[in-house]
Amino acid sequence: MTDIDVAELQRRLAAFAAARDWGQYHTPKNLAAALSVEASELLEIFQWLTPEQSAGIMENPESAHRVADEVADVLAYLLQFCEVLGIDPTAALVAKLERNEKRFPLPSAAEPPDRHSSE
């Protein structure tokens, strides 16, 4: 793990894009599309794996590197998307967690837990 924070990552990504004059392409629509593409590339790595194979993917250095690269791409586009729209990603996540904690309270010991989407 590194000690770099989300704001610093966003600054570095913005500087990288600005130095290459890519800001003109970093519209919310384009960044959302790029985020979707990168998430799909992450999914593609796991597409035909068994549950057991997918659980062990990080054991192979080559596949671990591919997964880490796609995670980085997804995170980079998500952070750029948030920056363009003025969304604080950590605040958004905290707010969502708080809503989900209210929406899906801990089950009592008598009732089994349901599986729900985080939406």
Side-chain angles (χ1 to χ4, degrees):
M1 299 275 311
T2 65
D3 289 333
I4 193 167
D5 65 10
V6 170
E8 176 61 21
L9 288 171
Q10 287 178 304
R11 282 190 291 275
R12 287 184 64 183
L13 288 164
F16 184 88
R20 290 153 181 83
D21 196 28
W22 290 351
Q24 60 187 318
Y25 306 111
H26 287 187
T27 64
K29 176 197 125 338
N30 287 351
L31 290 168
L35 176 58
S36 176
V37 168
E38 294 302 337
S40 294
E41 289 178 5
L42 177 61
L43 176 60
E44 184 180 31
I45 296 168
F46 294 89
Q47 185 174 10
W48 302 113
L49 300 182
T50 65
E52 296 79 19
Q53 290 169 325
S54 69
I57 195 127
M58 299 306 283
E59 294 168 11
N60 176 303
E62 183 178 323
S63 61
H65 179 74
R66 288 180 60 214
V67 169
D69 272 358
E70 294 307 333
V71 165
D73 289 343
V74 168
L75 183 57
Y77 279 119
L78 179 59
L79 292 177
Q80 290 172 339
F81 179 81
C82 289
E83 179 72 17
V84 165
L85 290 179
I87 297 169
D88 177 338
T90 54
L93 180 55
V94 167
K96 183 68 174 191
L97 286 170
E98 289 171 355
R99 284 193 309 275
N100 282 344
E101 288 168 350
K102 290 176 185 164
R103 244 178 105 194
F104 306 108
L106 291 174
S108 67
E111 59 183 87
D114 286 334
R115 294 183 185 232
H116 294 283
S117 161
S118 65
E119 295 179 22

